[in-house]
Amino acid sequence: MRKDPVSTREPRLLSLAVAEAPHPVSQAEVAEHVGALFEGADFDVGESLAVFANAGIRRRTLALPLDAYFAGLGPELRNRHFLGVAGRMLSDAAERAVPPALRSRVTHIVTVCSSGIATPSLECGVIEDLGLAPDARRIPVFGLGCAGGVAGLAIARDLARSAPEALVLVLCVELTSLTLLTEDKSLRNFVACALFGDGAAAALVAGGDVEGRALGTLGPGRTRLFPETRALMGWDVRDRGWRVVFSPRIPGVVRRNARELVAELADGRAIRHFVLHPGGQKILDAYREALLLSEEDLAPAAMTLADYGNMSAVTVLFVLDRILRAPGFRPGPGLLTAFGPGFTAELLRVELGRGAGG
């Protein structure tokens, strides 16, 4: 029986580009608007505003000007904004990630998003904007939330490993701010306002037969679905939109499971680069305790959280970009780790080294 060719070389990350949302805003500005919005809620708003100061976030970038969120956005207008802004941000990131000479050679496009709906899916616009190969296999991925960025790269790695001539474009965009329901005066929604931001990223992954310099190689990944945890995170779809669901139990699940999962995938390697999804300060604390990490280990994730907030699936790709661009970057083994709805963990082992041979 004929077997599909599998290259002896691991798939490589050729490029990575990130795109901020168009409207930067400080954490203090958001806190001021949210405090006014939640006036009259059934909890102490003044006391609860401390969550903004303690979130480890100093600024974010949003899809719309801040005032627009508090003017009342119905489902139709939300999705119209989502399609326009998400499409532009993805094309911007992809234009910088895919050199013109490679655009006609893209074989697969994996598009990750859990914060909006687009049919046809968002990569159709990117294909037209950049002149990508019209016969590229399209793979939209929805519902993985914060774990989606790692999962998208892992899917691309598996595709590139099974087809050594593959050139896989990963697109990831989350506009979590557009899901704000101003009529939801719950403490859960209040906390969400202190955390979430918007962003996009694009990455190009090559099979073993594709030549070219690379940022690093992509090794094996792991997925772990935890039993009886579906209620911890996700969307609760209401008539007016999507209500965010995230449980205070989440840091505990991370704390109890991260060490075993990382040890399994590291397989004895000393990890130099911890590419962590910073879901919030409590998640970073859980990683610190479970993995015995130093402040230096946590710095890329913590600084990304401070500059952008929690951008769901996109955040871990911003962390990876920050690591690769750091002036003192040193090549070495890395591990991407994120937790998301399911409740699930996604991990991917990488070997990072700018200019890795092709």
Side-chain angles (χ1 to χ4, degrees), residues 263-278:
E264 285 179 2
L265 195 55
D267 195 26
R269 292 168 176 80
I271 300 301
R272 171 169 287 170
H273 300 292
F274 287 90
V275 190
L276 306 171
H277 167 68

Side-chain angles (χ1 to χ4, degrees), residues 278-289:
Q281 190 59 54
K282 291 183 178 180
I283 299 298
L284 288 177
D285 292 342
Y287 281 128
R288 177 190 289 107
E289 295 170 21

Side-chain angles (χ1 to χ4, degrees), residues 192-212:
C193 291
L195 293 176
F196 291 102
D198 303 330
L204 194 60
V205 176
D209 289 353
V210 179
E211 298 300 323

